[in-house]
Amino acid sequence: MRRVGFTKRWITLLMLCVKTVSYSILVKGEPKGLTYPSRAIRQGDPLSPFLFLLCMEGLNGLINKAADKGDIKGYALCRNNPRLTHLLFADDSLLFCRATIQECQHVLNILETYDHPRIEAQVVPGFEDMKVSALIDPATKKWDFNMLNGLFTTQEVELISSIPLCPNVVEDVVVWHFTPSGTYTMRSDAKHPLPGFEPGKTG
């Protein structure tokens, strides 16, 4: 919803409607106790179709973009009929494409993008030349959450902090992968010459 353009306050209010729901079970006609759902909202909730439309708008846009580029041909009942690429109804989604490896791969790419959207973060003024090492606490060798929370959104902080860090600093080493030891030799270079370089010639 944030990528579609909804404000943070509106998203917060909407999620409160989803996360603060509770139910009571009727026992002999009387409500007993409270039950808090752990996964989404109940079936038949009046909010459900609106949430579905909001969530499916992203998938709808990705499919239409692929169809405009010709990546997905869709299906047409007749030769001159409009081509149908997808149908979205309630909680069901139907995608139409030709039975080719290329189009199936395009469909998989769309679903992967929809499931894991890329975050396009804006560069904070004054930090254009910042390196990743500046986001790591040199004492603990862990992510510096004070820096992360000050520069990125909550979703971005979660993604960055999920990247594991090596506790030991290892210096970069030049390795020649054509020898078992990783060191460069003239004999190995004769078998696997570098592009644009001829052994024995200097210049």
Side-chain angles (χ1 to χ4, degrees), residues 58-193:
L59 180 61
N60 179 66
L62 291 172
I63 296 174
N64 288 336
K65 183 177 180 180
D68 293 339
K69 292 170 57 179
D71 295 337
I72 298 178
K73 302 300 181 183
Y75 174 76
L77 293 175
C78 301
R79 179 173 298 178
N80 296 324
N81 278 16
R83 305 194 73 85
L84 186 65
T85 56
H86 60 290
L87 288 175
L88 307 175
F89 177 74
D91 58 351
D92 295 322
S93 303
L94 298 176
L95 306 182
F96 300 93
C97 69
R98 294 188 301 179
T100 63
I101 295 178
Q102 291 79 7
E103 287 209 20
C104 290
Q105 186 60 52
H106 285 306
V107 172
L108 290 176
N109 293 340
I110 290 173
L111 296 177
E112 179 68 22
T113 303
Y114 179 69
D115 189 35
H116 302 287
R118 293 172 294 181
I119 297 177
E120 300 175 359
Q122 295 181 352
V123 179
V124 180
F127 294 88
E128 294 85 353
D129 298 326
M130 174 181 282
K131 297 182 179 180
V132 176
S133 58
L135 303 175
I136 301 174
D137 189 332
T140 62
K141 301 296 189 298
K142 296 181 179 180
W143 292 111
D144 188 339
F145 283 93
N146 289 331
M147 289 287 292
L148 293 178
N149 292 324
L151 295 173
F152 303 98
T153 65
T154 303
Q155 185 180 7
E156 292 168 344
V157 171
E158 292 178 357
L159 290 174
I160 295 173
S161 60
S162 66
I163 302 174
L165 295 175
C166 180
N168 301 321
V169 178
V170 180
E171 297 294 335
D172 292 336
V173 179
V174 178
V175 177
W176 180 255
H177 62 274
F178 294 115
T179 59
S181 63
T183 57
Y184 171 82
T185 62
M186 292 294 293
R187 179 178 296 179
S188 64
D189 186 39
K191 295 181 180 179
H192 307 281

Side-chain angles (χ1 to χ4, degrees), residues 23-78:
Y23 307 108
S24 295
I25 300 175
L26 293 178
V27 179
K28 295 183 179 180
E30 296 183 2
K32 299 291 183 179
L34 292 176
T35 301
Y36 298 93
S38 59
R39 293 180 61 87
I41 55 181
R42 69 177 177 83
Q43 186 175 1
D45 192 296
L47 191 61
S48 181
F50 298 102
L51 289 176
F52 175 80
L53 290 176
L54 292 174
C55 294
M56 286 296 105
E57 185 60 30
L59 180 61
N60 179 66
L62 291 172
I63 296 174
N64 288 336
K65 183 177 180 180
D68 293 339
K69 292 170 57 179
D71 295 337
I72 298 178
K73 302 300 181 183
Y75 174 76
L77 293 175
C78 301

